[in-house]
Amino acid sequence: MSIVDLAVQNLVSPMVLFFALGVTAALVRSDLSVPEAAAKFLALYLMLAIGFKGGTEVSKSGLDAAMGLTILAGIALSFAIPMIGYTLLRLTTRLGAVDAAAVSAHYGSISIVTFVAATEIVRGLGLTFEGYLIAVAAVMETPAIVAALLLARRAAPREAGSQGESMGALLREVGTNGSIVILVGAFFIGWATGERGMDMIAPFIVDPFRGILCLFLLDMGLVAGRGLRQGGRELSPALIAFGIYFPLVSAALAAAFAAMLGLSVGGAALFITLAASASYIAVPAAMRLALPEANPAIYLTLSLGVTFPFNLALGIPLYAAVAARIAG
Amino acid sequence: MSIVDLAVQNLVSPMVLFFALGVTAALVRSDLSVPEAAAKFLALYLMLAIGFKGGTEVSKSGLDAAMGLTILAGIALSFAIPMIGYTLLRLTTRLGAVDAAAVSAHYGSISIVTFVAATEIVRGLGLTFEGYLIAVAAVMETPAIVAALLLARRAAPREAGSQGESMGALLREVGTNGSIVILVGAFFIGWATGERGMDMIAPFIVDPFRGILCLFLLDMGLVAGRGLRQGGRELSPALIAFGIYFPLVSAALAAAFAAMLGLSVGGAALFITLAASASYIAVPAAMRLALPEANPAIYLTLSLGVTFPFNLALGIPLYAAVAARIAG
Amino acid sequence: MSIVDLAVQNLVSPMVLFFALGVTAALVRSDLSVPEAAAKFLALYLMLAIGFKGGTEVSKSGLDAAMGLTILAGIALSFAIPMIGYTLLRLTTRLGAVDAAAVSAHYGSISIVTFVAATEIVRGLGLTFEGYLIAVAAVMETPAIVAALLLARRAAPREAGSQGESMGALLREVGTNGSIVILVGAFFIGWATGERGMDMIAPFIVDPFRGILCLFLLDMGLVAGRGLRQGGRELSPALIAFGIYFPLVSAALAAAFAAMLGLSVGGAALFITLAASASYIAVPAAMRLALPEANPAIYLTLSLGVTFPFNLALGIPLYAAVAARIAG
Amino acid sequence: MEMHSKKRIEILLEAPAQKRLTDLLDRLDVNGYTVLPVIGGKGHHGVWSREGLPSAAGTMVSVSVIASEERLDEVLRPVFELVRRHIGIVTVSDVMVIRGDRF
Amino acid sequence: MEMHSKKRIEILLEAPAQKRLTDLLDRLDVNGYTVLPVIGGKGHHGVWSREGLPSAAGTMVSVSVIASEERLDEVLRPVFELVRRHIGIVTVSDVMVIRGDRF
Amino acid sequence: MEMHSKKRIEILLEAPAQKRLTDLLDRLDVNGYTVLPVIGGKGHHGVWSREGLPSAAGTMVSVSVIASEERLDEVLRPVFELVRRHIGIVTVSDVMVIRGDRF
Ligand SMILES: Nc1ncnc2c1ncn2[C@@H]1O[C@H](COP(=O)(O)O)[C@@H](O)[C@H]1O
Ligand SMILES: Nc1ncnc2c1ncn2[C@@H]1O[C@H](COP(=O)(O)O)[C@@H](O)[C@H]1O
Ligand SMILES: Nc1ncnc2c1ncn2[C@@H]1O[C@H](COP(=O)(O)O)[C@@H](O)[C@H]1O
Ligand code: NA
Ligand code: NA
Ligand code: NA
């Protein structure tokens, strides 16, 4: 399948269309909404399901050196990407140091829903992927936060962390974030219980998975559309551009790593997607604690309203095409 | 199967029994309850599933003139039924103009859950139906509101709309109602993605559908029972009678249309059900905006506490029997 | 399979591990949480599913004397266990009369989730069980509350019920508890609709059941862990010991009954589990009404934080092993 | 606009007893009441949170009643009598309303 | 700490009209508002509860606005005009804030 | 009934910082606090709503503390210090309680 075919087919997938429906509904000010409790529950479900599946895969394939190396590569990327992002933001936009650091943290970290959407596309292409990539996703959540904090503290010691929370205390607050705990926990449970465990709960975490993902994407569309309607004017053209070109920068970096790591085509597509995706669940909450002076309207709107739809609609097919070139 | 058999079998279906359980629990003042967030989520699920399925059907059968004609017939019915209902209410009950208009709007519009229950019964009879009937259901939601507003404004210009919201502004408020947006949106997504889309999300929107419907009906029973307990004395015998005979009037009208439109037996049963059903999700919310002077206890209790159980238990089997006579 | 094998296999089941994950997350003060509405919804789902399945089983097997006798045995146990528990608590701990009565009510009543976990283990062993045991579970909920109230009123007439609510009024408040109503109601619906009804809703109440149970156990782990962290110091060593040895006392009593009743091996395992389990949904709510002077931190923490995990991890395999000896 | 001075009684009460309280308010013939959700708190009975709880036990609600100064004592006495047995606190504050005859 | 005296306007309103109210508050150019959930209540229109309702109809929300005494009447008049047509009540109470210039 | 005059401090704060606030209140040794949900609002930081949000970021909670007048300043100062860094507002109002010794 050519990249254009892939992109077109992706655009008419229920997932992308439900996201678009959500955005549209929010823009026409419909009162369509997913209750907060349901949204949290859906997010919990997705984390649990993806973590468990990853663990089951690893229980089948066993541990190997590739897993360790890929995890190290993920940590390195998560730490390096914010540095590059911060520099670009300071050069090309008017964001202050704290805002620039906060935004770049989102890009160093990952979006598990973008990852999940990519797994669906990869599976749709008949490809498989290394189960341990879920572990890679989990470890990529936090290094970016540390990097952003270091950047902010060096550039604006007064503002950022003026109250002197130690880095350790902050990391404890951030590292016990519920979405990370459930992802990692479910991964280990999947690993420990293996296929027997999977057989037991597959009708819950596998069969309805894509449908629930559609519903969650509808909700993300509603939130993104509302964000664009209300927070849109916070985004300068330079920032919006960043939200689109920077994932490509991260993707290029990750593609180089993927080639070196010798990942499968599916695995490379997912690894690139992780690097190119920007967090909008775990990191925004972490930033409210770590850098409360940063403006949340900027980073949330950019990550969820610009980068997420870009990745969902165009980025992932592109990363899959790149992966097909470099791997396999 | 004779109509009596059909009615009996319907009465011992899980759907009807869970509704009855809900009513009973509310009447004995049990604290059994479905959390508000869960109820909203279940409603969202039902709309999404039914819309998507309808769209998939249309993608299979393609567009034809019958669809256009049936949609037009639906609009006409939705607009005409409130006129008749209003006249009957004014003649037979003591309701004022505004209350009568508000009640009649509910009967011109449709109840998607009644529709869904009817599709289950139709499928249980081994019948199929035209997928575009979901589109018909969607277009029948709003004309009744317009009709009711015109009635109220003519009869009681002081009260109804004294603040001079233009009809256009009101329709925008009402037309972007979340339940309509998700129904129509999912319909178009089902249409666009066709069977490929359906295969992806069927384990979510098809397999557990009936079970979730049971749970939603339990909740509707709880709400209806609570309404009867608290709002029951607002209902005069004449009003209760209206809640039972008027669906039959609408059904007769719709049966005539169905015969002319040449719908299949299953399709005719559903079309008649649409006409005979009374809204209790979209229209009550719309009435709070359009005719806030109307007493909500009257229309909610009548629609959900009288007409809905009547249709669920007896109406639908009857409409199916009528459809078998006039169509096929 | 030896009892040790059984215990080990049970310990690495997804159910036990998700519970452990919840406890761990709460102990490390993670913000992982299941929204209240979702928790209530999951509980509702579990009650509905287990009730319905039990009813379907009874519709297949029909009524017989064994069912009536087992129900009577259940009532007797539910009434007798609090008497023994109260005596032991007064002798071995420093609890006052009201607190001791409230705690013992929890042990006379049953935990439906423990029951459900046991059914999974019984099924995992390839055993079946008498469907009417769900009816037994339902009738065992309340006698314990009556027993506890009698104990408290005799020992501390001033405190307990000083406001003179009649026992009848209290039982009405308690007996219409939502969790009992849905369990019993779904049981009768399952009975009335039989296999036809089950076929309709099996994809909702059977297929995803175990996965949803895992999620609910995660939540119970979170609540238990939070309770242990916050209410742990309310529990003296003697009380903690009671939370572990007393289920064994109840189990022994129930095993004797089970042998006399001639239950199947699976049925005996479940009957013993019922007796050994302690309520933490219905009874805590009832105690707030019946004995508001009792300290909720004590009974909730003991029942959910000590006895429930004990039963889940070790108790059930043990009861299954005992059942294999005495029955079959 | 002309405004009338009233009292707002706020009753924070454990949720299982909510029906008892509202039944009492009905008997006391107050003009109305409003129930607000509460998600957590801390007091002499320790910390609590509604998160994850599958039943009403362990959760609280807040019920507020607007009443005229004259009726205050008459309402407060039996309400306090009920709350005293349960976990809960009662506060009273001043409030102005527009349609004074309705409260 | 130095504190400034303000007014808190609390508007309990049926939920379907919430957007109308907040749009009005936007037009009145208030500095902000906060929306709180309400789970049930009782008044002249009878008892209601949000439980199990799949739509906004039949539910209420509470919107509170902190404003300076000078702006009170200016805000209250149109708000009351809107609330009068709907199910709802308006109360006003005294409140102290720390950063007085923000309200 | 005999009533005692107290202060009610209400802290509207972004939800991710809730634990920081309650930990602070614990250190300040207040007698208790109550957390209420908030579903949306508008202020200098723009409009927000809790609907559909899968995490605590972007949502707020309201924490209220009843304290004696004497302790007011002692509690208010550090609380305001914390709130100042976050999105949030603090208000104080008068309230009467029945069991005065408990607050
Ligand atoms: N000083 C206080 N300020 C605000 N809320 C309080 C206070 N004391 C108690 N509460 C609330 O009342 C509940 C019951 O209080 P207690 O009976 O002291 O545990 C607590 O969980 C809090 O929600
Ligand atoms: N006296 C009152 N005290 C507190 N809340 C009230 C009072 N009267 C009415 N309410 C609230 O306002 C809503 C509408 O009042 P009404 O229009 O009188 O039915 C009620 O459902 C209550 O939630
Ligand atoms: N004048 C006000 N009245 C009521 N609530 C307000 C007011 N100003 C701000 N708020 C609330 O405080 C939150 C944060 O305010 P701000 O920091 O100004 O954006 C807002 O989202 C509102 O929920
Ligand atoms: Na990234
Ligand atoms: Na109709
Ligand atoms: Na027991």
Side-chain angles (χ1 to χ4, degrees), chain B residues 257-318:
Chain B
F257 273 93
M260 288 189 293
L261 290 163
L263 292 170
S264 68
V265 174
L270 294 183
F271 187 73
I272 299 172
T273 300
L274 282 177
S277 72
S279 170
Y280 55 84
I281 297 185
V283 177
M287 284 301 116
R288 295 318 302 149
L289 292 170
L291 295 174
E293 293 79 8
N295 181 350
I298 295 174
Y299 50 71
L300 252 178
T301 313
L302 193 64
S303 168
L304 184 57
V306 176
T307 301
F308 179 68
F310 167 73
N311 275 330
L312 192 66
L314 302 175
I316 302 177
L318 179 65

Side-chain angles (χ1 to χ4, degrees), chain D residues 7-11 63-67 72 75-76 90-92:
Chain D
K7 293 288 179 185
R8 185 204 314 260
I9 310 171
E10 277 178 72
I11 307 141
V63 177
S64 79
V65 181
I66 298 169
L72 184 60
V75 172
L76 218 46
V90 180
T91 56
V92 178

Side-chain angles (χ1 to χ4, degrees), chain A residues 34 36 163 173 219 288-289, chain F residues 14 20 50 52 85-86:
Chain A
V34 176
E36 181 203 8
Q163 302 232 328
E173 278 186 301
D219 182 41
R288 295 318 302 150
L289 293 170
Chain F
E14 49 179 336
R20 282 193 184 164
R50 224 166 63 173
R85 289 191 69 208
H86 287 283

Side-chain angles (χ1 to χ4, degrees), chain C residues 107-110 274-278:
Chain C
Y107 286 81
S109 182
I110 58 107
L274 282 177
S277 71

Side-chain angles (χ1 to χ4, degrees), chain C:
Chain C
M1 197 182 282
S2 84
I3 174 169
V4 176
D5 288 350
L6 189 58
V8 169
Q9 186 184 321
N10 181 46
L11 283 179
V12 295
S13 73
M15 291 181 303
V16 172
L17 291 176
F18 273 109
F19 182 82
L21 175 60
V23 173
T24 312
L27 292 181
V28 302
R29 302 195 68 183
S30 164
D31 68 348
L32 179 61
S33 72
V34 176
E36 182 204 9
K40 284 192 172 148
F41 183 73
L42 294 177
L44 191 67
Y45 169 87
L46 294 175
M47 305 283 176
L48 189 158
I50 194 81
F52 196 92
K53 279 183 230 173
T56 313
E57 292 302 322
V58 170
S59 84
K60 278 195 261 182
S61 64
L63 283 184
D64 57 10
M67 174 169 168
L69 287 176
T70 315
I71 283 180
L72 286 181
I75 294 175
L77 274 176
S78 174
F79 200 84
I81 289 172
M83 307 283 176
I84 309 171
Y86 177 84
T87 313
L88 286 169
L89 282 168
R90 297 288 278 165
L91 288 175
T92 65
T93 72
R94 292 167 172 240
L95 288 193
V98 174
D99 279 331
V103 168
S104 66
H106 289 72
Y107 286 81
S109 182
I110 58 107
S111 152
I112 202 76
V113 178
T114 310
F115 177 78
V116 160
T119 62
E120 293 302 328
I121 291 173
V122 162
R123 282 214 190 86
L125 292 171
L127 300 171
T128 57
F129 58 89
E130 290 80 358
Y132 58 69
L133 280 168
I134 280 115
V136 178
V139 298
M140 286 178 77
E141 298 249 24
T142 26
I145 297 170
V146 180
L149 226 71
L150 293 175
L151 287 166
R153 291 204 171 168
R154 221 192 40 181
R158 270 282 164 80
E159 281 180 76
S162 54
Q163 301 232 328
E165 293 97 352
S166 72
M167 184 70 93
L170 256 173
L171 282 182
R172 210 167 33 250
E173 279 186 303
V174 164
T176 57
N177 181 294
S179 62
I180 300 178
V181 169
I182 185 69
L183 186 69
V184 173
F187 179 81
F188 281 113
I189 296 178
W191 193 349
T193 62
E195 288 202 64
R196 194 176 60 92
M198 181 50 107
D199 286 346
M200 286 177 69
I201 66 173
F204 177 59
I205 67 169
V206 177
D207 300 349
F209 186 83
R210 285 195 263 202
I212 293 179
L213 181 59
C214 284
L215 205 46
F216 190 73
L217 286 171
L218 172 73
D219 182 42
M220 287 301 95
L222 288 165
V223 175
R226 212 168 57 205
L228 286 174
R229 189 156 52 74
Q230 288 159 358
R233 61 198 154 204
E234 311 268 358
L235 300 187
S236 64
L239 255 174
I240 296 175
F242 177 87
I244 291 173
Y245 75 72
F246 191 59
L248 302 177
V249 174
S250 308
L253 212 62
F257 272 93
M260 287 191 292
L261 290 163
L263 291 170
S264 70
V265 175
L270 293 184
F271 187 72
I272 299 173
T273 301
L274 282 177
S277 71
S279 171
Y280 55 85
I281 298 186
V283 178
M287 284 302 115
R288 296 316 303 149
L289 292 169
L291 296 174
E293 293 78 9
N295 180 350
I298 294 175
Y299 49 70
L300 251 177
T301 313
L302 192 63
S303 168
L304 185 57
V306 176
T307 301
F308 179 68
F310 168 73
N311 275 331
L312 191 67
L314 303 175
I316 302 176
L318 179 65
Y319 311 145
V322 170
R325 289 279 161 88
I326 61 163

